């Protein structure tokens, strides 16, 4: 499938956003305060975002939960419904742009949108196009038992099972190797 620059950025952003969510109640939130949200916005070059507030922080965390649900959706129809709700709630104003030297592409967030609506509109549309392309199953959760981080499997044959943020695949290989050795020694 064709993945344009902005789609790729939006996918990276949505994965990173979902992965800031605490894995359980005792774990720290990856977006603990407005300063962390500000850093997130700068790192992901989210354009046209003004000064951020506590309101933005709680709105972004809500949107984050809705994106997490898309990654956890058991099948495409459920994912499509969630994406529709996300995008509808954000409101969109599609318009062509060639900002910052990028080729022509479409922005979806409405002018003056809050950062939460911006993320919901543009990342939501990126996920929508993924569904349209028949690629929904590439939106994955790492299969390592103690990880479950979100990632997008861009491998040719959709065979990736583990995220690479904590070299989960490697850890499992090591665990399997140790188990085999133990068995052989046993
Ligand atoms: Zn753009
Ligand atoms: Zn992992």
């Amino acid at each position: 499938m064709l993945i344009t620059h902005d789609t790729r950025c939006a996918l990276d952003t949505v994965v990173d956003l979902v992965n800031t969510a605490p894995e359980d109640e005792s774990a720290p939130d990856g977006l603990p305060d407005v300063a962390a949200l500000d850093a997130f916005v700068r790192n992901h070059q989210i354009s046209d975002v003004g000064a951020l507030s506590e309101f933005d922080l709680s709105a972004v965390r809500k949107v984050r939960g809705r994106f997490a649900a898309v990654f956890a959706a058991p099948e495409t129809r459920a994912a499509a419904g969630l994406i529709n709700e996300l995008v509808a709630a954000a409101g969109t104003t599609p318009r062509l742009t060639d900002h910052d030297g990028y080729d022509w592409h479409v922005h979806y967030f409405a002018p003056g949108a809050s950062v939460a609506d911006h993320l919901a509109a543009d990342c939501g549309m990126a996920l929508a196009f993924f569904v349209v392309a028949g690629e929904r199953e590439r939106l994955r959760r790492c299969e390592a038992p103690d990880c479950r981080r979100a990632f997008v499997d861009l491998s040719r044959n959709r065979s990736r099972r583990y995220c690479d943020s904590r070299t989960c695949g490697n850890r499992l290989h090591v665990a399997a190797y140790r188990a085999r050795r133990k068995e052989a020694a046993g």
Side-chain angles (χ1 to χ4, degrees):
M1 69 178 286
L2 174 71
I3 298 179
T4 63
H5 158 78
D6 257 39
T7 304
R8 188 62 212 261
C9 285
L11 289 172
D12 287 346
T13 301
V14 73
V15 164
D16 287 351
L17 178 65
V18 167
N19 287 334
T20 64
E23 280 161 40
D24 55 59
E25 276 146 42
S26 61
D29 195 303
L31 285 178
D33 50 30
V34 175
L37 178 59
D38 199 52
F40 184 89
V41 165
R42 266 182 285 117
N43 289 340
H44 292 86
Q45 299 179 324
I46 299 165
S47 51
D48 298 337
V49 173
L52 299 170
S53 66
E54 289 292 335
F55 175 83
D56 289 308
L57 180 62
S58 73
V60 167
R61 283 180 178 163
K62 260 183 218 130
V63 163
R64 175 178 73 182
R66 301 177 86 168
F67 278 122
V70 174
F71 276 80
E75 37 81 40
T76 303
R77 187 162 300 280
L82 291 163
I83 294 167
N84 280 344
E85 281 172 30
L86 252 167
V87 172
T92 50
T93 307
R95 65 197 177 285
L96 283 157
T97 171
D98 62 348
H99 68 97
D100 295 322
Y102 293 121
D103 236 328
W104 287 104
H105 58 280
V106 179
H107 279 178
Y108 294 93
F109 63 94
S114 69
V115 62
D117 284 347
H118 182 140
L119 288 168
D122 282 67
C123 295
M125 287 304 297
L127 296 185
F129 288 125
F130 237 62
V131 172
V132 170
E135 306 280 10
R136 202 271 312 171
E137 66 179 70
R138 290 185 188 273
L139 308 175
R140 298 257 170 89
R141 288 264 180 191
C142 178
E143 289 179 25
D146 54 346
C147 179
R148 308 294 297 154
R149 287 170 70 88
F151 70 95
V152 178
D153 177 7
L154 293 175
S155 68
R156 190 183 291 270
N157 55 0
R158 309 181 189 188
S159 58
R160 251 182 82 192
R161 295 170 58 204
Y162 308 110
C163 74
D164 47 23
S165 60
R166 298 184 202 165
T167 58
C168 282
N170 274 336
R171 277 190 308 140
L172 288 183
H173 285 147
V174 170
Y177 172 75
R178 288 213 183 108
R180 276 198 305 274
R181 280 236 319 220
K182 210 170 156 196
E183 217 162 79

